[in-house]
């Protein structure tokens, strides 16, 4: 006696059967896929925007260099504010590995548009003396006018940082401002300086002019130094003893590029939180898919009973509904991946960042959709396979 073997479904047959079940309910399919799409789009956009921001920071570090060190006075043994020696800058320049060095010194003065404005209205702008090598050391540039030179550093001339000029409402040079107790002429406005944001908020005059017109005592408050990348740590170790041989413990040395690196790390930590929110959205979408498939099984009991009575096995019914769940999740995942990538590119370009969508994020999205589709389809598929053909066909 010949045993009858059930017909086998090829992969193409499985796809056609699964797609046919989805095409019969387009509105419900779109709404269910939308939940998956939102979750995937959120996760890809979060990863992409964070990666774009981090790439921008890393490019800034590459452009600005990590070889800039700053020297500032620390605290004395009795907890008072220490002072750097007046000859500190010259001593730093004598270190063999130092390529360029410059200094600034805080001045007890205010800058205002006119002498009719109260001294209390400072706008948060610091007034500082600056050496002529400052712009070279910080690799900055004057976007308007010019920087201080040996001649203008002795005259009542001032250069404004980018933020200082904005707060004073100035966008051109040649105008006069009230600095201390006399008029100074604005000869330059600087561009942004990511490694020295304190300079962006400062009004800068030459050391000689600060001593002549503003009562500056000549003690620098910050020294900026650049050396070769390979010599940074060695220079960092000798700077305290070089700047203040008598009290090296009263000298603090830092690397501004560490702040940018810390920002990149902080952005990564914040990304983990947002990824959690995206995962929640994806979970909600998976629940929506499971709900859709359960309702589909209930509505299609007669179809299931007819297929079973015509010879379809329980395994083939399970595969049919599992394929529908996978196709539904894959549709949402594909739409979500496209939306997430577009959101990343649009946001990055609007901020002037390099758009970065990590390949692993796309790969993770594909895996996530397959996992969600499988989990969401297991129970409905098993429920459909367990339906008795007789009971299913007699159900109203």
């Amino acid at each position: 006696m010949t045993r009858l073997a059930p017909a086998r479904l090829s992969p193409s047959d499985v796809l056609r059967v699964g797609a046919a079940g989805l095409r019969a309910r387009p509105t419900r399919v779109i709404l269910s896929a939308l939940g998956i799409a939102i979750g995937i789009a959120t996760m890809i956009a979060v990863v992409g925007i964070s990666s774009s921001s981090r790439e921008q920071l890393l490019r800034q570090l590459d452009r600005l260099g990590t070889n800039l060190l700053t020297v500032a006075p620390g605290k004395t043994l009795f907890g008072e504010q220490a002072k750097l020696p007046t000859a500190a800058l010259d001593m730093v320049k004598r270190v063999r590995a130092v390529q360029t060095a410059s200094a600034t010194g805080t001045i007890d003065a205010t800058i205002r548009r006119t002498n009719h404005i109260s001294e209390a209205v400072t706008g948060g702008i610091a007034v500082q003396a600056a050496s002529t090598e400052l712009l070279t050391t910080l690799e900055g540039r004057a976007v308007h006018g010019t920087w201080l030179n040996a001649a203008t550093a002795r005259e009542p001339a001032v250069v404004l940082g980018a933020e200082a000029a904005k707060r004073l409402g100035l966008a051109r040079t040649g105008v006069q401002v009230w600095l201390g107790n006399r008029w100074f002429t604005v000869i330059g406005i600087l561009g942004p300086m990511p490694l020295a944001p304190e300079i962006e908020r400062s009004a800068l005059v030459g050391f000689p002019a600060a001593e002549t017109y503003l009562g500056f005592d000549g003690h620098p408050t910050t020294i900026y130094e650049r050396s070769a990348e390979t010599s940074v740590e060695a220079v960092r170790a000798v700077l305290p003893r070089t700047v203040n041989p008598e009290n090296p413990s009263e000298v603090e040395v830092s690397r501004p590029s560490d702040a940018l690196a810390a920002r990149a790390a902080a952005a990564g930590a914040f990304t983990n939180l947002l990824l959690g929110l995206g995962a929640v959205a994806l979970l909600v979408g998976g629940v929506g898919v499971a709900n859709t498939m359960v309702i589909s099984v209930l509505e299609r009991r007669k179809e299931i009973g007819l297929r079973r009575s015509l010879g379809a096995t329980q395994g083939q019914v399970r595969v049919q509904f599992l394929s529908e769940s996978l196709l539904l999740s894959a549709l949402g995942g594909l739409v979500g991946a496209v939306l997430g990538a577009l959101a990343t590119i649009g946001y990055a370009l609007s901020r002037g960042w390099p758009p970065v969508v990590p390949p692993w994020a796309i790969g993770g999205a594909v895996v996530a959709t397959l996992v969600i589709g499988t989990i969401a389809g297991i129970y409905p598929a098993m429920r459909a396979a367990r339906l008795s053909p007789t009971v299913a066909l007699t159900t109203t």
Side-chain angles (χ1 to χ4, degrees):
M1 182 177 177
T2 304
R3 295 185 60 185
L4 297 176
R8 295 182 179 275
L9 293 176
S10 66
S12 60
D13 292 331
V14 173
L15 288 176
R16 280 199 298 270
V17 170
L22 296 181
R23 285 197 300 268
R25 298 159 182 83
T27 302
R28 185 182 301 167
V29 166
I30 292 174
L31 292 176
S32 299
L34 187 59
I36 297 290
I38 291 174
I40 293 296
T42 301
M43 298 180 75
I44 290 180
V46 165
V47 172
I49 291 173
S50 176
S51 299
S52 300
S53 174
R54 192 178 298 112
E55 180 65 20
Q56 174 69 9
L57 287 173
L58 293 176
R59 289 190 181 187
Q60 278 189 338
L61 284 174
D62 291 340
R63 184 174 66 254
L64 300 172
T66 58
N67 60 339
L68 177 68
L69 296 176
T70 62
V71 180
K75 299 291 184 179
T76 66
L77 183 63
F78 302 101
E80 299 175 351
Q81 185 65 45
K83 282 189 175 184
L84 299 180
T86 55
L89 179 59
D90 292 332
M91 290 188 287
V92 170
K93 290 180 178 178
R94 294 192 184 103
V95 178
R96 181 177 301 177
V98 172
Q99 297 173 336
T100 178
S102 57
T104 59
T106 301
I107 302 170
D108 186 16
T110 60
I111 180 171
R112 291 158 286 162
R113 285 295 300 270
T114 73
N115 57 342
H116 299 295
I117 299 175
S118 171
E119 289 186 7
V121 183
T122 64
I125 302 172
V127 178
Q128 299 197 75
S131 60
T132 54
E133 306 95 338
L134 181 66
L135 212 58
T136 301
T137 305
L138 296 180
E139 296 184 358
R141 65 187 184 92
V143 294
H144 298 290
T146 185
W147 173 244
L148 297 168
N149 56 38
T152 55
R154 300 180 178 276
E155 302 299 329
V158 60
V159 176
L160 301 176
E163 184 62 27
K166 187 184 300 182
R167 293 179 185 180
L168 288 172
L170 295 175
R172 61 185 180 90
T173 59
V175 299
Q176 290 193 314
V177 291
W178 189 255
L179 202 163
N181 292 312
R182 63 167 297 149
W183 294 103
F184 274 66
T185 302
V186 178
I187 64 170
I189 297 176
L190 303 180
M193 291 188 178
L195 290 184
E198 65 278 4
I199 299 299
E200 297 180 0
R201 301 186 296 270
S202 297
L204 305 163
V205 301
F207 265 76
E211 294 173 359
T212 302
Y213 303 109
L214 301 172
F216 178 54
D217 61 7
H219 289 276
T221 50
T222 305
I223 296 175
Y224 301 91
E225 173 277 333
R226 279 193 189 271
S227 54
E229 295 280 356
T230 54
S231 305
V232 171
E233 293 304 324
V235 172
R236 190 174 191 171
V238 303
L239 277 178
R241 295 191 301 273
T242 301
V243 170
N244 193 344
E246 295 182 358
N247 299 294
S249 61
E250 296 179 1
V251 178
E252 296 181 351
V253 182
S254 62
R255 180 152 50 176
S257 58
D258 291 343
L260 286 179
R263 280 175 56 195
F270 189 58
T271 297
N272 294 334
L273 173 61
L274 295 179
L275 277 178
L277 297 177
V280 171
L282 188 60
L283 177 62
V284 172
V287 172
V289 171
N291 183 59
T292 297
M293 296 307 302
V294 169
I295 294 175
S296 180
V297 170
L298 294 175
E299 291 179 343
R300 296 161 63 188
R301 281 177 292 187
K302 287 190 176 181
E303 174 193 331
I304 296 168
L306 182 60
R307 287 201 64 205
R308 290 295 311 280
S309 64
L310 293 176
T313 64
Q314 288 185 342
Q316 290 172 343
V317 173
R318 278 196 296 269
V319 168
Q320 174 189 351
F321 282 89
L322 195 57
S323 67
E324 287 186 21
S325 177
L326 285 171
L327 286 174
L328 181 56
S329 298
L331 175 63
L334 178 62
V335 174
V338 172
L339 292 177
L342 291 177
T344 298
I345 294 172
Y347 186 83
L349 292 178
S350 70
R351 299 293 298 271
W353 298 346
V356 177
V357 181
W360 65 263
I362 302 295
V366 173
V367 172
T369 55
L370 294 179
V371 170
I372 289 293
T374 301
I375 295 175
I378 287 177
Y379 172 71
M382 294 179 64
R383 181 169 179 170
R386 287 198 301 265
L387 281 177
S388 167
T390 306
V391 174
L393 286 172
T394 57
T395 301
T396 56

